[in-house]
Amino acid sequence: MDTWILGIESSCDDTAAAVLCNQELKSNVIASQAVHAQYGGVVPELASRAHQQNIVPVVDAALKQAGIRPEQLHAVAFTRGPGLLGSLLVGTSFAKAFAYSLDLPLIEVDHLQGHILSHFIHREGAEEPRFPFLCLLVSGGHTQIVRMNSHFDREIVGTTIDDAAGEAFDKAAKILGFPYPGGPQIDRLARMGNPSVFHFSEAHIPAYDYSFSGLKTSFLYLVRDRLRENPHFIEENAADLCASFQFAVCSTLMKKLVKAAKDLRIREVAIAGGVSANSGLQQALREAADKYHWTIHIPTLSFSTDNAAMIAIAGYYKYAMGTFSGIHAVPYTRSEK
Ligand code: KG4
Ligand code: ZN
């Protein structure tokens, strides 16, 4: 029998809804909130208001595009956390009301788990990762190396002790005067620049953990000092600055990932989360795959940044296991793992 799941995601600044039939994507609708660009970061109060405005039309569009009536769904999956409280409350409350009015089971999904499980949405020509696999989860809020033993057995091997990789990209972009989120713009400019022009201090953190705050400070000081000598330093060097910064982030990410894969003897490796869209990181992963004989999994752009299809696929596996949530489920803002 087919299983139809509606996924709802509202943890940060994207209001998203998607419909899956088993592992097949039937619709994937996202309303991104442009309002934050001018503030250099997500403003929580504005994000919750925008979710409140968007949630009904976004869910309606997802159902219509999938060509399904609400009564035909088998369950409603929603992001319970981690994320911004006001944002999560909108998705959680909507999901509860929608599910209970239709007498459908409710399924809570962890946002990070969703990012990783997005690799199990059926894609023409792409293979699912085989367990156990390592996943480098790199987003605006998290940077982790995770060992996946099964769909829901997630072991954190390494994590950042300060900033997330996406946060580092966004902060560097802000220093250069780019609007939020600046990661994609750094990526675009980096393609035209030389990565070995500027050098930044590298953190020496034990085991498989990361730190990006030193890199950010080193970038800030370099730009600040050079601007004193030349007020046009940023415009004249933007591409090289972006390429050098991106190279520093990606090589740090890859070093620990390679170490973890070697030590744990795992050759099945995936990347997930917004920063997995980065062309430098994807290239570095491909090179490592050739060198170390890895089988790699890179998400398409629509599955790397926040989306609800990843919440629906996690819901699909939980539905199969009969793991449901009660009406009392409340959001959590910080990672439970
Ligand atoms: O996973 P995501 O959409 O949201 C969170 O769960 O945080 O990740 C958003 C992050 C932002 O920091 C954004 O700048 C970064 O992903 N990002 C990128 C690229 N595309 C998105 N960073 C570098 N290169 C990109 N191409
Ligand atoms: Zn995310």
Side-chain angles (χ1 to χ4, degrees):
M1 192 194 80
D2 286 338
T3 305
W4 289 80
I5 307 281
L6 169 69
I8 294 172
E9 153 64 33
S10 74
S11 65
C12 191
D13 58 340
D14 294 301
T15 318
V19 174
L20 277 190
C21 175
N22 306 324
Q23 288 165 269
E24 292 296 327
L25 185 66
K26 296 296 179 183
S27 65
N28 193 20
V29 179
I30 301 180
S32 298
Q33 305 176 359
V35 62
H36 308 287
Q38 59 186 306
Y39 296 102
V42 177
V43 184
E45 185 88 353
L46 297 178
S48 349
R49 282 169 204 239
H51 282 305
Q52 193 74 271
Q53 283 173 334
N54 294 339
I55 189 96
V56 172
V58 163
V59 171
D60 191 46
L63 292 169
K64 287 204 172 108
Q65 283 178 25
I68 188 171
R69 290 190 314 279
E71 320 75 79
Q72 291 173 282
L73 290 166
H74 291 89
V76 179
F78 69 99
T79 306
R80 192 178 151 204
L84 300 167
L85 182 64
S87 293
L88 290 163
L89 276 169
V90 176
T92 305
S93 306
F94 180 90
K96 281 184 190 177
F98 189 83
Y100 278 81
S101 68
L102 291 159
D103 203 18
L104 293 172
L106 194 59
I107 301 173
E108 65 187 62
V109 173
D110 181 276
H111 181 84
L112 307 183
Q113 180 88 41
H115 269 302
I116 301 172
L117 293 185
S118 65
H119 284 288
F120 292 85
I121 300 168
H122 182 254
R123 263 202 289 156
E124 209 55 51
E127 298 261 322
E128 287 179 4
R130 283 164 305 172
F131 299 110
F133 68 92
L134 280 187
C135 185
L136 175 68
L137 175 61
V138 269
S139 70
H142 296 85
T143 296
Q144 298 178 341
I145 298 176
V146 181
R147 180 191 154 112
M148 293 297 287
N149 298 314
S150 66
H151 291 105
F152 292 98
D153 182 357
R154 199 160 42 113
E155 235 177 86
I156 296 177
V157 173
T159 187
T160 178
I161 59 165
D162 42 52
D163 292 350
E167 212 175 339
F169 270 106
D170 295 338
K171 284 179 177 170
K174 195 172 176 182
I175 293 167
L176 297 178
F178 303 160
Y180 176 86
Q185 192 164 346
I186 292 198
D187 190 359
R188 267 193 302 278
L189 282 168
R191 289 170 212 217
M192 296 177 279
N194 179 349
S196 44
V197 172
F198 301 105
H199 299 275
F200 308 106
S201 58
E202 202 184 317
H204 295 283
I205 308 295
Y208 313 108
D209 287 341
Y210 292 110
S211 164
F212 289 104
S213 70
L215 173 63
K216 173 199 67 194
T217 311
S218 166
F219 186 79
L220 173 69
Y221 288 174
L222 175 118
V223 173
R224 188 194 59 186
D225 295 349
R226 301 291 282 270
L227 273 177
R228 282 200 191 117
E229 299 157 15
N230 170 12
H232 304 292
F233 173 70
I234 293 181
E235 300 95 275
E236 289 169 9
N237 296 278
D240 291 341
L241 279 166
C242 291
S244 304
F245 181 81
Q246 178 167 300
F247 178 77
V249 175
C250 296
S251 46
T252 305
L253 288 171
M254 288 306 298
K255 262 185 210 163
K256 296 295 176 89
L257 184 61
V258 166
K259 182 172 159 54
K262 271 189 185 164
D263 294 353
L264 300 172
R265 296 168 192 271
I266 295 180
R267 292 222 215 111
E268 189 90 14
V269 182
I271 53 175
V275 181
S276 68
N278 185 267
S279 60
L281 183 61
Q282 295 190 358
Q283 181 58 26
L285 188 74
R286 288 196 187 95
E287 284 166 15
D290 283 346
K291 191 165 173 192
Y292 303 108
H293 310 289
W294 289 353
T295 302
I296 54 168
H297 303 272
I298 297 176
T300 56
L301 184 61
S302 54
F303 295 154
S304 56
T305 45
D306 286 350
N307 65 86
M310 68 187 202
I311 304 306
I313 190 77
Y316 167 74
Y317 288 111
K318 283 197 163 182
Y319 182 85
M321 296 187 313
T323 311
F324 301 114
S325 303
I327 192 81
H328 300 294
V330 287
Y332 54 90
T333 54
R334 296 173 70 87
S335 202
E336 290 203 318
K337 281 218 159 204

